[in-house]
């Protein structure tokens, strides 16, 4: 178990404080704002009506507050409409229980090992006050605090990433160690060759009571009596400091912590509802609505001509005209054995998952820095993504770290060609061959890019394309599965046609088709294929126009790179890219924030990209990683994508460059 008590991070007590029924207050919380990286405040009020709450949310919006906390007594009638409002609008609602106990010698006696209430198993650890911890002990405590955060309301709030939760609790632990938020830290040590932290409890005195600020037990030492030893040590510490009362709080769903407290004599003093209201300080600025959007789909005359012809012929069924034409063209131009048009790049990934036989006890290695579809496609079929860090030059999977992630359960390596720049495919294919693994190319970005003369999508066993409206070649929503192994084509065809052998029926091989395997509704509709056919006709112009813009950015930003203000993209030797994205990485955090604000003010679509999957909520639930993906985290906190689309004028490019230059100017 892990037991967490979260106070107002400025050090003021939250639990145990009666909220006044008059003059509600709205206070900015500096600690939370810093570690969560959103402006955070607490609303202190009682007996709110729904109308009053909405008014407070408006006031918070006007002050630029993004996250607003509210704590209310459980079971009060006035909280019912507020709870309903929170649930309906996707805000976090949780429960907190506060315990209280009078500390006595008799209570301490019952907590000794071997007594009725005492631990049934004893770890042999010693509970000591922390004094001058070594770097290794401090590291263990910080790791323990981040693990403890898993039981907190912050971890349960789906709008907060795991990365931000870990940042909060690691910072909170450092503040406990330096005594800025705790009077003392008591640590349960096991002494082997070197001291090992089995658990900890941070305590402080407020008024006539000792408060437990944070209590955590290492997962490998649970159910060994460590938690009770820590509680007994905290009680003895309180007695030594002349205090006979203890308060502690935890989430109502943290049953392990609650059982511990109750076994240690604690009684429930109050139960409360905790709310996190997420406030949009500004509506999302859709790329197309910016003065200079980040992306804008290009449509010529051919798309409409094809649609008109389609309607004139009244033939909108699948596999009619445009779909087969596009597939044949992709097969010929990309050099793949089979191309199947599907409804999205995500659908193509799901078909890859079927082709490689994803299921329970199957692992797929992939980069952490990618879109969620890369992982979800395999998770939805029972497989486990295993995240590997990226290279700092291309933002692609670091091929030197793949082998360390391989286990007996590994089935495939999924590489993502970020920004249309190829991964190091020779190395990846060699690793796959040595370990008998499939290679999946997530080529959503890299249509018509190439690696050492081979088109992306033609190198791995299976691959995907995306024709989403933000990509180089578009049809609104669409994609393609590319198959390079003949033995996988039958599986792909069955999956494409909803798990049936419909193609055998269409070829006259059977008199009716039936369910024969896994599949889904993946086929791209003929109207979308008609649009795609016209786009593929324009492919040389579409890519060359984007390359002109990419090269203009690249040349103009070289001086800022030489000054260390930003890092430009790298295209390795032997690789040809398609100019899907032009990005920069801005290493200095102040510069990064300043550039984002300047671009927003200028209504220019300069946007960040992915949250690393290893630090996402879904990643903690469905995936794993052995080594922290530090480069992925740095990338997510430093990368901006610049506007790039056909029709972007030289004057608009100059405006983008001007905003960057001014934001990154010295001083």
């Amino acid at each position: 178990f892990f037991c967490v008590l979260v106070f107002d991070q400025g050090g003021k007590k939250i639990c145990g404080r009666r909220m006044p029924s008059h003059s509600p207050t709205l206070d900015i919380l500096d600690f939370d704002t810093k570690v969560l990286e959103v402006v955070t405040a607490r609303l202190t009020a009682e007996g709110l009506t729904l109308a009053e709450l909405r008014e407070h949310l408006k006031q918070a919006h006007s002050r630029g507050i993004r996250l607003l906390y509210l704590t209310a007594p459980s079971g009060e009638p006035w909280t019912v409409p507020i709870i309903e409002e929170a649930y309906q609008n996707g805000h976090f609602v949780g429960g907190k229980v506060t315990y209280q106990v009078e500390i006595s010698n008799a209570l301490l006696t019952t907590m000794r090992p071997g007594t009725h209430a005492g631990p049934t198993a004893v770890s042999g650890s010693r509970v000591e006050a922390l004094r001058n911890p070594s770097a290794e002990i401090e590291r263990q405590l910080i790791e323990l605090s981040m693990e403890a955060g898993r039981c907190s309301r912050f971890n349960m709030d789906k709008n907060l990433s795991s990365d931000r939760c870990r940042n909060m609790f690691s910072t909170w632990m450092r503040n406990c160690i330096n005594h800025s938020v705790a009077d003392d830290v008591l640590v349960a040590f096991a002494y082997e060759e070197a001291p090992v932290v089995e658990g900890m409890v941070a305590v402080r005195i407020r008024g006539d009571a000792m408060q437990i600020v944070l209590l955590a037990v290492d997962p490998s030492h649970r159910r060994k009596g460590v938690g009770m030893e820590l509680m007994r040590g905290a009680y003895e510490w309180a007695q030594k400091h002349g205090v006979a009362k203890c308060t502690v709080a935890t989430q109502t769903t943290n049953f392990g912590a609650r059982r511990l407290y109750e076994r240690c004599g604690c009684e429930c003093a109050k139960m409360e509802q905790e709310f996190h209201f997420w406030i949009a300080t500004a509506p999302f600025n859709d790329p197309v609505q910016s003065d200079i959007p980040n992306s804008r789909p290009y449509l010529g005359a051919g798309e409409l001509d094809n649609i008109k012809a389609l309607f004139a012929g009244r033939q909108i069924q699948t596999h009619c005209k445009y779909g087969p034409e596009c597939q044949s063209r992709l097969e010929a131009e990309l050099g793949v054995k089979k191309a199947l048009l599907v409804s999205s790049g995500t659908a193509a990934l799901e078909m890859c998952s079927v082709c490689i036989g994803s299921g329970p006890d199957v692992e797929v290695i992939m980069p952490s820095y990618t879109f969620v579809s890369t992982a979800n496609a395999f998770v939805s079929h029972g497989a486990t993504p295993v995240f590997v860090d990226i290279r700092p030059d291309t933002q692609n999977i670091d091929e030197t770290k793949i082998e360390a992630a391989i286990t007996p359960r590994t089935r495939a390596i999924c590489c993502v060609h970020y920004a249309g720049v190829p991964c190091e495919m020779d190395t990846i294919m060699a690793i796959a061959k040595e370990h008998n693994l499939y290679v999946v190319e997530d080529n959503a970005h890299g249509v018509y890019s190439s690696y050492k003369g081979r088109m992306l999508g033609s190198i791995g066993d299976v691959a995907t394309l995306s024709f989403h409206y933000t990509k180089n070649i578009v049809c609104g929503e669409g994609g393609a599965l590319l198959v390079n192994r003949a033995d996988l084509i039958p599986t792909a065809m069955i999956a494409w046609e909803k798990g049936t052998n419909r193609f055998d029926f269409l070829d006259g091989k059977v008199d009716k088709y039936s369910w024969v395997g896994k599949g889904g509704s993946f086929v791209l509709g003929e109207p979308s294929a008609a649009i795609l056919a016209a786009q593929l006709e324009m492919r040389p112009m579409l890519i060359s126009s984007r390359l002109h813009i990419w090269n203009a950015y690249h040349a103009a930003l070289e001086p800022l790179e030489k000054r260390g203000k930003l890092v430009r993209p790298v295209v390795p030797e032997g690789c040809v890219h398609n100019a899907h994205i032009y990005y920069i990485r801005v290493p200095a955090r102040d510069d990064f924030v300043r550039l984002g604000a300047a671009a927003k003010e200028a209504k220019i679509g300069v946007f960040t990209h992915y949250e690393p999957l290893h630090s996402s909520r879904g990643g903690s639930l469905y995936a794993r990683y052995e080594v922290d993906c530090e480069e992925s985290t740095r990338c997510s906190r430093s990368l901006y994508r610049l506007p790039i689309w056909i029709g972007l004028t030289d004057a608009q490019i100059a405006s983008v460059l001007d905003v960057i230059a001014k934001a990154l100017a010295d001083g």
Side-chain angles (χ1 to χ4, degrees):
F1 51 80
F2 292 92
C3 340
V4 179
L5 173 63
V6 180
F7 290 89
D8 175 299
Q9 309 298 347
K12 296 180 181 178
K13 179 180 173 185
I14 290 175
C15 71
R17 177 176 63 188
R18 176 176 174 79
M19 294 185 291
S21 57
H22 59 281
S23 62
T25 59
L26 195 64
D27 300 313
I28 301 290
L29 304 178
D30 293 337
F31 178 88
D32 296 59
T33 296
K34 181 177 180 180
V35 297
L36 298 179
E37 298 180 334
V38 293
V39 181
T40 307
R42 171 166 290 281
L43 173 61
T44 304
E46 190 175 80
L48 284 175
T49 66
L50 189 56
E52 289 171 337
L53 172 65
R54 289 170 176 167
E55 184 59 34
H56 285 301
L57 293 175
K58 288 181 181 178
Q59 293 175 16
H61 177 277
S62 68
R63 293 175 59 179
I65 294 167
R66 177 78 189 282
L67 173 58
L68 184 67
Y69 303 150
L70 173 67
T71 302
S74 296
E76 292 289 334
W78 63 268
T79 65
V80 174
I82 292 177
I83 292 172
E84 292 178 353
E85 175 90 351
Y87 278 129
Q88 289 174 2
N89 289 282
H91 301 295
F92 169 76
V93 181
K96 180 176 73 173
V97 55
T98 302
Y99 287 97
Q100 187 170 300
V101 63
E102 294 291 334
I103 304 170
S104 65
N105 290 331
L107 174 61
L108 289 170
T109 299
T110 66
M111 295 171 63
R112 289 174 182 163
T115 61
H116 174 69
T120 56
V122 182
S123 67
S125 59
R126 294 208 318 248
V127 176
E128 306 172 12
L130 186 68
R131 297 292 182 266
N132 302 316
S134 65
E136 172 58 21
I137 293 299
E138 187 168 331
R139 184 196 67 78
Q140 291 182 44
L141 288 169
I142 290 171
E143 287 291 326
L144 188 57
S145 72
M146 291 190 288
E147 185 71 21
R150 291 178 180 272
C151 293
S152 72
R153 61 189 168 100
F154 299 99
N155 191 61
M156 290 188 285
D157 185 343
K158 61 181 175 58
N159 291 311
L160 283 170
S161 69
S162 299
D163 189 46
R164 288 178 175 176
C165 290
R166 287 197 297 268
N167 186 35
M168 164 167 276
F169 279 87
S170 61
T171 306
W172 185 245
M173 176 57 79
R174 290 188 182 95
N175 290 346
C176 288
I177 293 171
N178 66 27
H179 296 167
S180 63
V181 296
D183 295 335
D184 223 335
V185 177
L186 309 179
V187 182
F189 285 111
Y191 286 91
E192 301 169 358
E193 294 182 0
V196 176
V197 175
E198 294 185 337
M200 58 73 59
V201 58
V203 294
R204 66 185 178 190
I205 295 175
R206 291 295 183 270
D208 63 348
M210 174 191 70
Q211 297 173 355
I212 292 180
V213 179
L214 179 68
L215 187 150
V217 177
D218 185 88
S220 63
H221 293 92
R222 295 174 186 171
R223 301 187 180 278
K224 296 180 180 179
V226 176
M228 185 164 286
E229 285 296 295
L230 288 167
M231 289 294 290
R232 191 158 67 95
Y235 289 172
E236 290 173 346
W237 182 91
Q239 284 189 325
K240 185 188 298 184
H241 289 80
V243 173
K245 184 186 297 183
C246 171
T247 61
V248 61
T250 190
Q251 303 303 305
T252 55
T253 55
N254 192 351
F255 298 111
R258 295 181 65 179
R259 283 193 297 270
L260 170 67
Y261 296 148
E262 290 163 8
R263 288 181 65 197
C264 294
C266 297
E267 295 181 351
C268 178
K270 69 167 70 173
M271 298 189 76
E272 297 169 300
Q273 297 288 154
E274 294 182 306
F275 301 89
H276 291 180
F277 291 102
W278 288 89
I279 305 163
T281 53
F284 173 67
N285 188 12
D286 187 277
V288 179
Q289 301 304 317
S290 302
D291 288 351
I292 303 178
N294 186 266
S295 65
R296 176 177 286 167
Y298 178 84
L299 295 174
E303 294 87 345
L304 186 57
D305 290 342
N306 287 355
I307 291 293
K308 287 179 177 178
L310 189 72
F311 276 72
R314 296 294 190 269
Q315 291 185 318
I316 62 170
Q317 67 270 28
T318 54
H319 317 310
C320 184
K321 171 180 168 58
Y322 294 109
E325 284 182 4
C326 291
Q327 290 172 174
S328 296
R329 182 166 196 145
L330 290 171
E331 289 167 2
E333 294 182 349
L334 299 180
V336 299
K337 285 184 169 63
K338 195 69 177 178
L340 301 174
L341 295 187
V342 296
S343 54
S344 66
T346 299
L349 281 164
E350 290 184 9
M351 289 185 66
C352 288
S353 184
V354 174
C355 287
I356 69 166
S358 289
D361 298 323
V362 168
E363 294 181 347
V364 179
I365 294 170
M366 63 185 64
S368 173
Y369 193 71
T370 184
F371 190 56
V372 63
S373 292
T374 309
N376 249 344
F378 300 98
V379 169
S380 62
H381 290 93
T384 300
V386 178
F387 297 129
V388 169
D389 211 354
I390 59 172
R391 293 169 44 154
D393 56 350
T394 62
Q395 326 315 314
N396 286 332
I397 190 169
D398 188 336
E399 67 280 0
T400 67
K401 297 182 178 180
I402 291 175
E403 280 197 285
I406 295 174
T407 72
R409 296 181 296 277
T410 305
R411 180 69 57 84
I413 302 166
C414 182
C415 56
V416 180
H417 303 296
Y418 184 76
V421 176
C423 296
E424 176 42 53
M425 294 306 297
D426 281 351
T427 303
I428 292 171
M429 296 302 293
I431 293 171
K433 182 178 181 180
E434 180 180 350
H435 295 275
N436 194 28
L437 304 176
Y438 290 106
V439 172
V440 178
E441 291 183 76
D442 182 346
N443 195 32
H445 292 184
V447 61
Y448 289 102
S449 294
S450 65
Y451 172 83
K452 297 183 179 179
R454 298 180 65 185
M455 303 301 291
L456 296 189
S458 71
I459 304 170
D461 299 296
V462 287
T464 68
L465 301 176
S466 174
F467 304 120
H468 183 265
Y469 65 86
T470 58
K471 299 301 192 290
N472 291 25
I473 295 172
V474 305
C475 67
E477 287 278 358
L481 171 71
L482 308 177
V483 186
N484 297 306
R485 280 178 47 165
D487 60 323
L488 294 180
I489 292 175
T491 303
M493 298 291 286
I494 290 168
W496 195 41
E497 278 293 356
K498 306 174 181 66
T500 73
N501 59 343
R502 183 168 181 259
F503 272 92
D504 287 340
F505 169 73
L506 295 176
D507 290 341
K509 297 176 183 177
V510 295
D511 59 357
K512 63 176 66 174
Y513 61 89
S514 61
W515 181 22
V516 295
K518 291 183 178 180
S521 186
F522 295 125
V523 179
L524 185 70
E526 188 71 356
S528 296
I531 296 172
L532 180 61
Q535 289 270 308
L536 290 173
E537 288 284 346
M538 296 186 292
R539 185 261 301 175
M541 180 276 292
L542 295 175
I543 293 178
S544 64
S545 296
R546 296 179 74 96
L547 282 168
H548 169 78
I549 300 166
W550 197 99
N551 290 331
Y553 281 139
H554 204 62
L557 293 171
E558 184 178 9
L560 284 173
E561 184 175 50
K562 288 182 176 179
R563 287 167 47 200
K565 303 299 286 185
L566 56 79
V567 179
R568 298 179 300 163
V570 171
V571 181
E573 186 177 354
C575 296
V576 176
H577 70 98
N578 64 356
H580 175 54
I581 293 172
Y582 192 91
Y583 64 85
I584 57 174
R585 286 185 58 171
V586 182
R589 188 63 185 172
D590 289 346
D591 286 347
F592 183 81
V593 172
R594 189 162 53 249
L595 175 54
K600 184 176 181 180
E601 183 178 357
K603 296 183 178 181
I604 294 175
V606 173
F607 294 152
T608 58
H609 215 177
Y610 308 127
E611 176 194 13
L613 297 185
H614 79 277
S615 61
S616 67
R617 189 163 307 280
S620 65
L621 292 173
Y622 307 118
R624 71 171 184 84
Y625 59 96
E626 294 297 328
V627 180
D628 194 20
C629 301
E630 296 178 353
E631 190 60 43
S632 300
T633 300
R634 283 192 289 270
C635 181
S636 72
R637 295 171 60 85
S638 64
L639 185 143
Y640 278 125
R641 294 171 294 140
L642 306 188
I644 185 166
W645 39 273
I646 296 166
L648 191 68
T649 66
D650 290 344
Q652 289 172 319
I653 294 171
S655 295
V656 175
L657 293 169
D658 184 59
V659 165
I660 295 171
K662 289 179 179 177
L664 303 186
D666 293 328

